[in-house]
Amino acid sequence: MLVRSFLIKRILQAAGVVICISALTFFILNVVPGDPVRVMMGDMADEQTVQQVRHTMGLDKPVPEQYANWFGKMLHGDFGTSYMQKKSVIALMSKALTVTLQLAICAYIFAVVLGLVMGIIAAVNHGRWLDRTLMSLAVFGISAPVFWVAIVLQIVFALNLKWFPLSGVKTAAAYVLPILALGTRYAASIARVTRTSMLDVLSQDYIRTAEAKGLSRWTIIIKHALRNALIPIITIAGTQLGDILTGSILIESIFAMPGMGKLLLDAINARDLPLIEGSVMYIAVICVAIYLAVDILYAVVDPRIRLGGEASE
């Protein structure tokens, strides 16, 4: 019963966040200066034709009514048609999202694996030169701006060494530099959190008991310490998946990748409202779903979280 109540509460909260994002996005885009019909038709179109097109597109209706119509269609999977490209918004987003998800997922896997390995090794070698070296690298990774890392990687490995393509997505090798640029910062964050959490767990009495029983060092670290250190690691790793997904927009621009970033920027420049609204909602729903999954994963790893939440109510 508690589990079901916990899930219902989290799902309702996630739905509320999505509705709020949709409302804010729609109303902000409809109050900022600029007429999308005028942008679409150009300065040569006469006012009568512009008003006729506005009526046909439903843009002459009150904004709340426009929002209700748009949100109702969106619930049925209809994000409308792009003003400029004259294609289904969902079709345009699906094509672009494939590139974005490939980049984001690969960067995420790279960040989690590298971050965990660095954090565990640093914790096991606490106070030694390896610990200090790895944490210095982590500080540098967190401090270095993502765009700067991307540009340095392009100069060194694409322009000078010519090991990887400078831009585009024609080959699998074209994803290597964007993955490194996007994942480095998040790997550094995970490494620091992993080290801190592991050091806290390794100082507990049950770890000393396991050592007294003669268990091997790495069995204790992986089977006992890492498992009990997972909560803060899940926190940082889970939330960073959403950050990586949104952060990929900048990386896509730098490496000229035809993903959601390029699609959204082109839509903003063209004042293509359906495409902007659809892109924002697509990203928002994915991010909210990720945070919901993290909340549920918390409860699976540590039941005290859901029990505490219900008790407080």
Side-chain angles (χ1 to χ4, degrees):
M1 187 66 180
L2 287 176
V3 174
R4 186 171 65 179
S5 177
F6 175 84
L7 290 176
I8 292 174
K9 178 181 176 182
R10 291 296 183 268
I11 291 172
L12 289 176
Q13 289 175 342
V17 170
V18 171
I19 293 173
C20 289
I21 292 174
S22 71
L24 285 172
T25 301
F26 191 89
F27 284 101
I28 289 173
L29 288 176
N30 279 274
V31 299
V32 296
D35 185 351
V37 177
R38 179 64 68 181
V39 173
M40 179 176 62
M41 300 188 66
D43 296 332
M44 300 302 294
D46 61 88
E47 187 62 27
Q48 183 178 356
T49 303
V50 171
Q51 292 302 326
Q52 183 178 354
V53 173
R54 285 179 59 82
H55 177 73
T56 302
M57 298 170 66
L59 296 178
D60 57 345
K61 297 178 180 179
V63 174
E65 184 178 348
Q66 292 184 45
Y67 170 73
N69 293 335
W70 170 76
F71 191 77
K73 291 179 180 179
M74 186 182 67
L75 290 178
H76 292 86
D78 181 7
F79 286 80
T81 302
S82 167
Y83 290 165
M84 305 304 295
Q85 301 192 44
K86 310 300 182 185
K87 296 180 180 179
S88 166
V89 170
I90 195 72
L92 292 171
M93 291 191 302
S94 298
K95 183 178 179 180
L97 192 63
T98 301
V99 175
T100 297
L101 286 179
Q102 288 175 344
L103 171 60
I105 291 174
C106 290
Y108 181 71
I109 293 173
F110 165 73
V112 170
V113 172
L114 180 60
L116 283 174
V117 171
M118 287 178 62
I120 292 172
I121 293 176
V124 172
N125 294 276
H126 177 54
R128 302 174 185 172
W129 68 269
L130 189 54
D131 177 26
R132 292 191 292 270
T133 300
L134 291 175
M135 288 303 99
S136 296
L137 291 174
V139 171
F140 174 78
I142 293 173
S143 304
V146 174
F147 70 87
W148 180 83
V149 174
I151 293 172
V152 170
L153 290 174
Q154 283 182 320
I155 293 173
V156 175
F157 295 104
L159 294 177
N160 292 338
L161 297 177
K162 301 187 184 302
W163 289 357
F164 302 101
L166 181 64
S167 61
V169 292
K170 293 182 179 180
T171 63
Y175 281 88
V176 174
L177 295 184
I179 288 170
L180 291 176
L182 184 58
T184 298
R185 182 186 186 90
Y186 301 105
S189 297
I190 293 173
R192 287 173 60 84
V193 172
T194 300
R195 174 185 179 273
T196 301
S197 184
M198 285 289 293
L199 286 176
D200 181 59
V201 172
L202 288 173
S203 65
Q204 300 298 316
D205 291 337
Y206 64 86
I207 296 296
R208 287 190 285 271
T209 301
E211 292 173 343
K213 290 181 178 179
L215 296 179
S216 69
R217 182 63 170 165
W218 284 105
T219 299
I220 295 172
I221 291 170
I222 301 301
K223 187 176 180 179
H224 297 282
L226 182 58
R227 181 177 180 180
N228 289 285
L230 278 179
I231 290 293
I233 297 173
I234 290 174
T235 301
I236 187 72
T239 55
Q240 283 187 348
L241 180 54
D243 294 340
I244 285 178
L245 186 63
T246 54
S248 63
I249 293 176
L250 175 61
I251 294 298
E252 288 172 3
S253 301
I254 295 174
F255 287 93
M257 305 177 74
M260 288 296 295
K262 185 177 185 303
L263 186 71
L264 182 56
L265 288 175
D266 289 346
I268 292 172
N269 291 330
R271 194 83 164 86
D272 195 336
L273 296 187
L275 194 51
I276 298 172
E277 294 159 353
S279 299
V280 171
M281 289 308 302
Y282 228 48
I283 295 172
V285 168
I286 291 175
C287 290
V288 169
I290 290 170
Y291 295 137
L292 175 61
V294 171
D295 276 348
I296 295 173
L297 190 56
Y298 284 166
V300 172
V301 174
D302 189 352
R304 293 174 300 176
I305 293 176
R306 66 169 181 265
L307 293 176
E310 297 300 329
S312 64
E313 296 177 359

